[in-house]
Short mmCIF file of all heavy atoms in Angstrom, two decimals:
data_model
loop_
_atom_site.label_atom_id
_atom_site.label_comp_id
_atom_site.label_asym_id
_atom_site.label_seq_id
_atom_site.Cartn_x
_atom_site.Cartn_y
_atom_site.Cartn_z
N ALA A 2 52.56 0.31 164.90
CA ALA A 2 52.09 1.59 165.40
C ALA A 2 50.74 1.88 164.92
O ALA A 2 50.42 1.61 163.80
CB ALA A 2 53.08 2.69 165.04
N SER A 12 34.61 5.74 157.79
CA SER A 12 33.58 6.07 156.82
C SER A 12 32.27 6.29 157.50
O SER A 12 31.25 6.55 156.83
CB SER A 12 33.46 4.84 155.87
OG SER A 12 33.14 3.66 156.57
N PRO A 16 26.83 11.60 164.27
CA PRO A 16 25.44 11.34 164.59
C PRO A 16 24.45 12.40 164.12
O PRO A 16 23.29 12.11 164.03
CB PRO A 16 25.45 11.25 166.10
CG PRO A 16 26.75 11.82 166.57
CD PRO A 16 27.69 11.72 165.41
N PHE A 17 24.88 13.58 163.90
CA PHE A 17 24.01 14.58 163.31
C PHE A 17 24.91 15.53 162.48
O PHE A 17 26.08 15.64 162.64
CB PHE A 17 23.26 15.31 164.39
CG PHE A 17 24.13 15.79 165.49
CD1 PHE A 17 24.77 16.98 165.52
CD2 PHE A 17 24.27 15.01 166.66
CE1 PHE A 17 25.59 17.38 166.56
CE2 PHE A 17 25.03 15.39 167.69
CZ PHE A 17 25.70 16.58 167.66
N VAL A 22 24.95 28.07 159.61
CA VAL A 22 24.54 29.44 159.97
C VAL A 22 23.43 29.94 159.12
O VAL A 22 22.45 30.55 159.59
CB VAL A 22 25.71 30.40 159.98
CG1 VAL A 22 25.27 31.82 160.25
CG2 VAL A 22 26.78 29.97 160.97
N GLY A 32 30.18 32.16 168.63
CA GLY A 32 30.36 31.52 169.92
C GLY A 32 30.13 30.05 169.79
O GLY A 32 29.88 29.46 168.70
N LEU A 45 27.49 11.95 172.92
CA LEU A 45 28.23 11.11 173.91
C LEU A 45 28.10 9.61 173.54
O LEU A 45 29.11 8.94 173.60
CB LEU A 45 27.67 11.34 175.33
CG LEU A 45 27.94 12.70 175.94
CD1 LEU A 45 27.16 12.86 177.26
CD2 LEU A 45 29.43 12.88 176.19
N ARG A 58 38.38 -2.38 165.38
CA ARG A 58 39.19 -2.37 164.17
C ARG A 58 40.69 -2.59 164.50
O ARG A 58 41.38 -3.30 163.76
CB ARG A 58 38.99 -1.11 163.41
CG ARG A 58 37.56 -0.85 162.86
CD ARG A 58 37.13 -1.85 161.79
NE ARG A 58 36.84 -3.18 162.36
CZ ARG A 58 36.96 -4.32 161.72
NH1 ARG A 58 37.30 -4.37 160.52
NH2 ARG A 58 36.64 -5.45 162.28
N VAL A 59 41.12 -1.92 165.55
CA VAL A 59 42.54 -2.09 165.94
C VAL A 59 42.81 -3.47 166.32
O VAL A 59 43.81 -4.12 165.95
CB VAL A 59 42.87 -1.10 167.10
CG1 VAL A 59 44.19 -1.45 167.76
CG2 VAL A 59 42.90 0.37 166.64
N VAL A 62 42.93 -5.66 163.20
CA VAL A 62 44.21 -5.41 162.50
C VAL A 62 45.35 -6.18 163.20
O VAL A 62 46.23 -6.86 162.56
CB VAL A 62 44.58 -3.95 162.32
CG1 VAL A 62 45.96 -3.75 161.89
CG2 VAL A 62 43.59 -3.30 161.37
N GLU A 66 47.65 -9.11 161.69
CA GLU A 66 49.11 -9.02 161.75
C GLU A 66 49.72 -10.28 162.39
O GLU A 66 50.70 -10.81 161.89
CB GLU A 66 49.46 -7.77 162.50
CG GLU A 66 50.99 -7.55 162.52
CD GLU A 66 51.39 -6.31 163.30
OE1 GLU A 66 50.59 -5.83 164.16
OE2 GLU A 66 52.51 -5.82 163.09
N LEU A 69 49.49 -13.11 159.96
CA LEU A 69 50.50 -12.99 158.88
C LEU A 69 51.91 -13.40 159.39
O LEU A 69 52.69 -13.97 158.68
CB LEU A 69 50.53 -11.58 158.34
CG LEU A 69 49.28 -11.21 157.47
CD1 LEU A 69 49.36 -9.78 157.15
CD2 LEU A 69 49.22 -12.07 156.22
N VAL A 79 58.70 -24.25 155.68
CA VAL A 79 58.57 -25.01 154.43
C VAL A 79 59.77 -24.81 153.61
O VAL A 79 60.32 -25.76 152.94
CB VAL A 79 57.28 -24.62 153.72
CG1 VAL A 79 57.22 -25.16 152.32
CG2 VAL A 79 56.05 -25.08 154.49
N LEU A 82 62.53 -26.96 154.87
CA LEU A 82 62.28 -28.39 154.54
C LEU A 82 62.61 -28.67 153.07
O LEU A 82 63.20 -29.72 152.75
CB LEU A 82 60.83 -28.76 154.85
CG LEU A 82 60.46 -28.82 156.32
CD1 LEU A 82 58.93 -29.03 156.51
CD2 LEU A 82 61.20 -30.04 156.96
N GLN A 91 70.21 -34.53 146.16
CA GLN A 91 71.55 -34.40 145.55
C GLN A 91 72.52 -35.43 146.11
O GLN A 91 73.29 -36.04 145.29
CB GLN A 91 72.13 -32.98 145.77
CG GLN A 91 71.39 -31.95 144.93
CD GLN A 91 71.87 -30.52 145.27
OE1 GLN A 91 72.69 -30.31 146.20
NE2 GLN A 91 71.31 -29.54 144.57
N SER A 99 78.20 -42.47 141.72
CA SER A 99 79.61 -42.85 142.06
C SER A 99 79.86 -44.33 141.91
O SER A 99 78.94 -45.12 142.21
CB SER A 99 80.03 -42.37 143.45
OG SER A 99 79.27 -43.08 144.37
#
Side-chain angles (χ1 to χ4, degrees):
S12 59
F17 47 86
V22 173
L45 291 173
R58 297 292 74 209
V59 167
V62 168
E66 183 181 21
L69 289 173
V79 169
L82 289 173
Q91 288 175 356
S99 67

